[in-house]
């Protein structure tokens, strides 16, 4: 039974990838994720300048997930290169980048092309400002950013889409038209939590992004619609916590899966547990590879 996949011309030992934003700030964590069973890693989003992120509290724990407003903490592209120097990685490293303009995204892709096996464009941070708004909510911005990055690097480009829009397939279609090699969905859903005694929002930024089991059905629908609409691969993200969740996303058309919040809630062992569950399912249902079940629920 084959768990390995070929995505964007890259071999992954299995379809599970550590999602951006969770335990992926430094090389030791990327290596740890792989040792714990992840087939690949997406880094925390990297920008032009170092950023400290928002003040605490930056995370609210809820019964069905988390709301975060980390505020894009990152060392900037120079700090990132210094940090990664001297390491070699025996797994695919996908570098997540964010910027306020297409030129900034292109600049980052150029500077980081030597370390990245692929890029994921963060077009979807729920509170990043670009063009005076959330950059990735406008199809024309998605188009311009993907085009600019495709011109700046030969590495595969994944456009990570925001779910905070009426129809995510509009974003997927322009990403594909601009030359994206894949899309990933979803980033977090805009959300808020209020402290009823302090009578104010809990997060220092007030608004944040919701992730975890509570968003899973929304994410699954987004992936299903994208997979039905696009010809490029779709990478599924959003509340994947159990092997059954993983199988649902694969059947909905996801070619690979990213896992973030489940690592926070259940620990590093989620990768092994989910891989084992997928493998058992494939064997019991008479399949010999993960790739055979991708998109079966679309038919
Ligand atoms: O750092 C964050 O606050 C953050 C980012 Br960049 C993102 O893309 N999604 C999210 O939920 N939080």
């Amino acid at each position: 039974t084959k768990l390995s996949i070929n995505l964007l011309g890259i071999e992954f030992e299995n379809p599970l990838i550590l999602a951006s934003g969770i335990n992926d700030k430094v090389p030791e964590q990327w290596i740890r994720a792989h040792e714990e069973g992840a087939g690949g890693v997406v880094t925390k989003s990297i920008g032009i300048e170092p950023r400290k992120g928002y003040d605490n509290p930056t995370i609210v724990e809820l019964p069905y997930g988390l709301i975060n407003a980390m505020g894009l903490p990152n060392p900037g592209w120079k700090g990132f290169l210094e940090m990664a120097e001297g390491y070699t990685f025996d797994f695919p490293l996908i570098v997540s980048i964010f910027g306020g303009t297409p030129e900034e995204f292109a600049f980052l892709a150029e500077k980081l092309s030597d370390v990245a096996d692929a890029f994921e464009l963060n077009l979807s941070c729920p509170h990043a400002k670009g063009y005076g708004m959330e950059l990735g909510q406008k199809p024309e911005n998605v188009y311009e950013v993907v085009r600019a990055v495709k011109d700046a690097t030969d590495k595969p480009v994944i456009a990570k889409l925001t779910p905070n829009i009426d129809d995510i397939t509009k974003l997927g279609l322009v990403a594909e038209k601009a030359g994206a090699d894949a899309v990933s969905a979803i980033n977090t859903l805009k959300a808020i939590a209020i402290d009823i005694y302090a009578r104010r929002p809990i997060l220092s930024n007030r608004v944040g992004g919701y992730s975890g089991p509570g968003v899973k059905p929304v994410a699954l629908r987004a992936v299903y619609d994208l997979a039905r609409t696009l010809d490029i691969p779709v990478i599924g993200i959003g509340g994947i916590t159990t092997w059954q969740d993983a199988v649902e996303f694969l059947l909905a058309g996801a070619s690979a899966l990213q896992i973030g919040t489940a690592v926070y809630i259940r620990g590093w062992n989620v990768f092994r547990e989910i891989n084992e569950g997928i493998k058992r399912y494939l064997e019991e249902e008479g399949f010999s590879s993960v790739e055979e079940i991708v998109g079966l629920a679309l038919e």
Side-chain angles (χ1 to χ4, degrees):
T1 312
K2 183 168 145 309
L3 279 189
S4 64
I5 58 162
N6 187 295
L7 180 70
L8 313 169
I10 303 168
E11 279 292 318
F12 291 77
E13 283 168 28
N14 64 66
L16 308 184
I17 300 169
L18 179 67
S20 185
I22 296 267
N23 297 330
D24 59 356
K25 281 213 181 88
V26 296
E28 289 75 18
Q29 290 172 311
W30 310 337
I31 291 166
R32 173 85 192 267
H34 176 248
E35 282 169 1
E36 299 279 356
V41 171
V42 187
T43 68
K44 178 70 185 161
S45 296
I46 303 299
I48 306 268
E49 296 294 337
R51 279 176 64 116
K52 177 172 120 346
Y54 297 133
D55 292 333
N56 285 326
T58 54
I59 293 179
V60 186
E61 296 185 18
L62 299 176
Y64 297 103
L66 307 173
I67 304 179
N68 88 82
M70 311 305 293
L72 298 123
N74 82 94
W77 70 272
K78 278 187 197 150
F80 181 84
L81 284 179
E82 283 165 23
M83 188 172 81
E85 212 180 285
Y87 286 92
T88 47
F89 306 106
D90 54 352
F91 52 87
L93 185 70
I94 300 167
V95 177
S96 171
I97 54 177
F98 76 91
T101 62
E103 293 73 27
E104 285 185 9
F105 275 93
F107 176 84
L108 289 164
E110 209 182 299
K111 294 294 180 192
L112 301 176
S113 267
D114 288 344
V115 256
D117 292 304
F119 287 104
E120 184 175 77
L121 312 183
N122 189 349
L123 297 161
S124 46
C125 185
H127 40 260
K129 298 286 187 291
Y131 295 20
M133 56 156 307
E134 197 191 316
L135 177 141
Q137 283 173 329
K138 284 213 168 151
E140 53 271 35
N141 295 350
V142 169
Y143 184 87
E144 294 299 331
V145 170
V146 172
R147 271 260 39 95
V149 173
K150 283 300 289 179
D151 286 341
T153 180
D154 294 330
K155 297 291 169 76
V157 172
I158 304 161
K160 185 167 181 179
L161 308 176
T162 180
N164 300 308
I165 174 173
D166 61 335
D167 180 2
I168 198 166
T169 65
K170 285 182 197 159
L171 300 178
L173 282 167
V174 292
E176 181 174 73
K177 199 166 132 215
D181 299 284
V183 297
S184 55
I186 59 173
N187 202 317
T188 51
L189 282 173
K190 234 176 203 187
I192 198 166
I194 290 173
D195 181 326
I196 62 169
Y197 296 104
R199 290 181 274 280
R200 58 170 194 242
I202 296 174
L203 294 167
S204 75
N205 186 56
R206 302 203 296 264
V207 174
Y210 188 34
S211 64
V215 312
K216 194 206 84 178
V218 176
L220 189 63
R221 196 279 303 171
V223 166
Y224 188 85
D225 281 354
L226 286 166
R228 255 201 325 199
T229 311
L230 306 184
D231 293 321
I232 54 177
V234 179
I235 300 170
I237 320 166
I240 299 170
T241 308
T242 65
W243 69 264
Q244 291 93 333
D245 295 334
V247 170
E248 271 189 275
F249 274 81
L250 292 165
L251 295 172
S255 298
L257 311 168
Q258 291 184 20
I259 297 183
T261 302
V263 177
Y264 181 100
I265 295 172
R266 295 182 44 201
W268 285 112
N269 56 323
V270 288
F271 292 107
R272 244 177 225 114
E273 284 173 23
I274 294 178
N275 274 324
E276 280 164 15
I278 296 172
K279 188 154 184 261
R280 221 178 314 118
Y281 172 85
L282 293 174
E283 282 162 4
E284 285 171 8
E285 297 297 315
F287 297 102
S288 55
S289 76
V290 177
E291 282 162 340
E292 279 172 37
I293 70 165
V294 171
L296 288 184
L298 297 168
E299 286 152 24

